[in-house]
Amino acid sequence: MKFITKIKTSEMILIISILYSFIMGIGLFGFGTDYHTSYYKPNYNPSEWSKDFLGWKISTFTIFNYNIGVYLTSFILAFSTGKLIFFFLNLNRVSSIFIFFVIYLIEIFTWPIFQSTSNAMRQGLTMSFFNLSICALMKNENRKSIIYIILAFFSHTSGPFVFFIYCLSRLYNLFLIKKNFLFLWVISLFIFSILFFYLSNGNYEKNRIIGYDFGLAFLLINIFMVFFLSYNIKYITNNIFYLISFFVSFISPSLFFLDMFWQYERINMIFLITHILVFGSLYKKKQTIFIWFIGFLFLLFLTYETGMYASFK
């Protein structure tokens, strides 16, 4: 039986991230629609410094007329994914390096990661920095966690929402340690209501997703996760990832009910992998591994079936 060590895992994550970066950077699968529209432009940055300027800087970074942005973004995506998987495997005391490798390999070719390499690049960066922030936080690396969450804030327009979820989860984890089902729901419902009425009074674009609309599927996932985590309330305050999954699932549907389907899909795409890992982690070891394999294989199948690979040209 082979076991994961910190050295072996770090080396594997680094090597896979470099290889993945190279494969996506040279366009072996092609490039996404957003790349051909905007990201191919050298050092392109149409945003104000206070918005998602960092995401544009990284994703369109160019040296001597050669786009390095896809390489950088792909590396960050793969690296953060490896760290996230390693965290959850350790959490569930799964020490097989083979299981780590297989799950890691499957996950980096699923929709949330693959699409973010040259399509939803800024969104992928926010997702990556957020995951790195929470992983650092769980290791008590508070300064590193704060740096990562600031990077997430300035990488995409979803950054402020992600930052808010981070702060909310940390505050609850630090001060409201009672494992109280009712109190958690009251806080979430209060924030849901404020966000709903705030956005309903603004001039925000209401739209539908072009192509496949995953809004209803995400809504069902959110509802399921809210009740599932409520049932497992005693575990929520033990791991900030559980709190994050709960708050996102409870609060983000406010966007769905305001017909902000594009924004709702983007937010849930960021947290989809977290939901799968959180759901599986609350079972026994063998069941956990089975759930993760099934969940990510199904996500891989959907990535292929919905034509996401074919959309890269």
Side-chain angles (χ1 to χ4, degrees):
M1 186 66 160
K2 293 184 179 180
F3 297 97
I4 292 180
T5 65
K6 289 185 178 180
I7 296 177
K8 284 185 179 180
T9 304
S10 299
E11 291 176 351
M12 180 177 289
I13 291 173
L14 183 61
I15 291 170
I16 291 177
S17 298
I18 292 173
L19 289 174
Y20 188 73
S21 170
F22 178 75
I23 289 171
M24 303 311 297
I26 63 173
L28 187 63
F29 293 92
F31 298 102
T33 303
D34 289 354
Y35 175 84
H36 296 292
T37 303
S38 302
Y39 292 124
Y40 75 94
K41 299 176 181 178
N43 300 312
Y44 182 60
N45 185 11
S47 299
E48 300 174 7
W49 73 269
S50 58
K51 292 185 178 179
D52 51 354
F53 79 98
L54 181 63
W56 285 111
K57 287 289 186 183
I58 296 174
S59 58
T60 65
F61 183 63
T62 304
I63 300 178
F64 301 121
N65 293 322
Y66 191 79
N67 188 297
I68 307 296
V70 176
Y71 291 91
L72 290 175
T73 304
S74 299
F75 177 84
I76 294 170
L77 284 162
F79 184 80
S80 63
T81 301
K83 291 291 186 180
L84 184 65
I85 296 170
F86 178 65
F87 169 81
F88 274 94
L89 286 175
N90 275 347
L91 179 68
N92 289 270
R93 299 183 179 181
V94 178
S95 54
S96 169
I97 198 166
F98 175 75
I99 291 173
F100 170 77
F101 176 75
V102 174
I103 293 177
Y104 190 9
L105 199 60
I106 292 172
E107 196 170 321
I108 58 177
F109 285 100
T110 59
W111 163 37
I113 307 301
F114 183 83
Q115 276 286 315
S116 299
T117 58
S118 63
N119 215 12
M121 296 175 73
R122 289 170 295 127
Q123 175 185 313
L125 289 168
T126 288
M127 173 178 63
S128 298
F129 289 134
F130 179 79
N131 289 335
L132 288 172
S133 175
I134 302 303
C135 287
L137 183 65
M138 294 303 294
K139 293 191 294 183
N140 293 319
E141 297 175 344
N142 290 315
R143 290 184 179 179
K144 188 181 290 186
S145 176
I146 291 172
I147 291 172
Y148 280 133
I149 197 61
I150 291 174
L151 294 177
F153 185 96
F154 290 110
S155 292
H156 187 248
T157 52
S158 60
F161 180 86
V162 167
F163 181 80
F164 173 74
I165 292 295
Y166 172 88
C167 294
L168 176 64
S169 300
R170 286 207 66 177
L171 288 172
Y172 188 93
N173 189 255
L174 287 171
F175 300 111
L176 306 174
I177 59 175
K178 291 184 178 180
K179 301 170 184 179
N180 190 307
F181 166 83
L182 181 60
F183 193 61
L184 190 63
W185 270 63
V186 169
I187 291 177
S188 301
L189 186 60
F190 177 71
I191 296 171
F192 175 95
S193 302
I194 291 177
L195 184 63
F196 181 86
F197 288 111
Y198 174 76
L199 292 176
S200 64
N201 292 323
N203 295 319
Y204 297 95
E205 181 183 0
K206 297 182 179 182
N207 49 49
R208 288 193 173 275
I209 303 160
I210 298 173
Y212 288 90
D213 187 347
F214 292 96
L216 183 58
F218 279 131
L219 182 63
L220 293 175
I221 291 172
N222 289 155
I223 293 172
F224 172 79
M225 290 303 294
V226 166
F227 284 98
F228 175 75
L229 290 171
S230 296
Y231 178 76
N232 294 280
I233 188 70
K234 62 182 180 180
Y235 299 108
I236 284 186
T237 54
N238 295 332
N239 187 321
I240 197 170
F241 271 113
Y242 298 158
L243 275 173
I244 289 166
S245 187
F246 180 88
F247 283 132
V248 169
S249 295
F250 203 116
I251 297 169
S252 66
S254 59
L255 301 174
F256 179 86
F257 295 118
L258 287 169
D259 295 338
M260 299 174 69
F261 299 111
W262 180 84
Q263 294 88 337
Y264 180 64
E265 181 203 81
R266 295 285 181 165
I267 291 295
N268 276 276
M269 179 177 166
I270 289 173
F271 295 100
L272 180 58
I273 289 174
T274 299
H275 289 327
I276 295 173
L277 291 170
V278 165
F279 173 64
S281 68
L282 289 171
Y283 290 88
K284 294 180 180 179
K285 185 185 294 186
K286 290 184 179 179
Q287 294 172 323
T288 293
I289 296 170
F290 178 77
I291 290 170
W292 284 345
F293 270 123
I294 295 300
F296 289 123
L297 282 173
F298 182 65
L299 191 58
L300 186 69
F301 169 76
L302 286 179
T303 305
Y304 171 78
E305 189 65 20
T306 54
M308 294 187 189
Y309 295 132
S311 67
F312 275 48
K313 299 177 181 179

